[in-house]
């Protein structure tokens, strides 16, 4: 019978010493310098992308966000009118014929009360509306003559039509290319 030869100086296979075996099993991690270099490259590429595409995308985002906010405030005015039984209205403020902001009011017996903060039209958005007020009655209907009203919000590449149906007070938002 053959007995295996045991090398007491090495436990690693192939006759390597313990220290050599440990060095081979140890996995190399990224150094701080390598991580910083990657972050700098990502920052440079992001900066170039923002300067190229950022301004129009920011303006489009402002206009779209404003269109959504306006439609939500219209729905809020309608719901408040139904809940309280008192007329609620949005008042649009103009400067030189251009809508610059709006606010939500309650038409109560003791006088009109502002319900919410004044909302400014953001840069890059233009609002076009035929009426300076949108009043909702106790049933939630739009108390203006006609069958529907349209508010237009112009952005950099798109425009949004907020259509109000008078009988129901329901607001619909449509996004269309310029």
């Amino acid at each position: 019978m053959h007995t295996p030869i045991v090398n007491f100086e090495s436990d690693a296979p192939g006759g390597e010493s313990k220290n050599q075996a440990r060095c081979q099993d140890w996995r190399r991690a990224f150094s701080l310098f390598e991580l910083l270099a990657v972050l700098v490259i990502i920052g440079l590429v992001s900066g170039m992308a923002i300067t190229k595409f950022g301004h129009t995308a920011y303006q489009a985002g402002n206009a779209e966000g404003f269109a959504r906010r306006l439609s939500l405030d219209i729905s809020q005015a309608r719901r408040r009118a139904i809940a309280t039984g008192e007329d609620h209205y949005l008042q649009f403020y103009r400067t030189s014929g251009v809508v610059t902001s709006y606010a939500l009011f309650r038409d109560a017996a003791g006088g009109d009360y502002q319900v919410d903060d004044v909302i400014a039209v953001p840069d890059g958005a233009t609002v076009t509306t035929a009426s300076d007020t949108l009043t909702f009655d106790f049933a939630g209907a739009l108390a203006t003559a006609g069958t529907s009203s349209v508010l237009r919000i112009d952005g950099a590449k798109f425009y949004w039509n907020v259509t109000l149906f008078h009988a129901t007070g329901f607001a619909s938002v449509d996004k269309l290319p310029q």
Side-chain angles (χ1 to χ4, degrees):
M1 286 226 134
H2 290 86
T3 56
I5 299 173
V6 178
N7 184 356
F8 292 103
E9 294 179 11
S10 171
D11 291 9
E16 300 166 345
S17 69
K18 286 183 182 179
N19 290 338
Q20 287 175 340
R22 280 190 199 134
C23 288
Q24 289 176 353
D25 288 341
W26 182 71
R27 295 194 178 151
R28 187 174 179 274
F30 291 108
S31 69
L32 182 60
F33 179 73
E34 290 169 329
L35 290 174
L36 287 175
V38 169
L39 289 176
V40 166
I41 291 170
I42 290 172
L44 289 172
V45 171
S46 299
M48 289 187 293
I50 288 173
T51 56
K52 181 161 178 78
F53 303 111
H55 188 64
T56 56
Y58 178 72
Q59 286 181 339
N62 275 346
E64 183 171 10
F66 181 75
R68 291 174 188 240
R69 171 74 190 257
L70 179 59
S71 69
L72 287 172
D73 285 343
I74 289 169
S75 295
Q76 181 185 21
R78 179 179 174 274
R79 289 180 184 147
R80 284 178 181 240
I82 293 169
T84 63
E86 296 175 333
D87 291 355
H88 281 68
Y89 64 93
L90 268 80
Q91 176 70 48
F92 293 96
Y93 300 108
R94 297 179 188 262
T95 302
S96 302
V98 177
V99 175
T100 57
S101 60
Y102 71 91
L104 176 60
F105 287 89
R106 181 180 71 183
D107 186 10
D112 296 351
Y113 298 99
Q114 186 172 338
V115 176
D116 207 352
D117 294 335
V118 174
I119 307 299
V121 176
D123 293 338
T126 306
V127 178
T128 307
T129 179
S131 176
D132 284 342
T133 58
L134 296 173
T135 305
F136 295 89
D137 63 16
F138 68 93
L142 190 59
T144 310
T147 57
S148 67
S149 295
V150 177
L151 291 89
R152 180 174 165 148
I153 297 98
D154 288 298
K157 294 182 179 181
F158 297 96
Y159 70 92
W160 293 262
N161 281 337
V162 180
T163 306
L164 298 158
F165 301 97
H166 289 223
T168 61
F170 178 74
S172 169
V173 180
D174 299 311
K175 179 180 179 180
L176 303 164
Q178 287 280 23

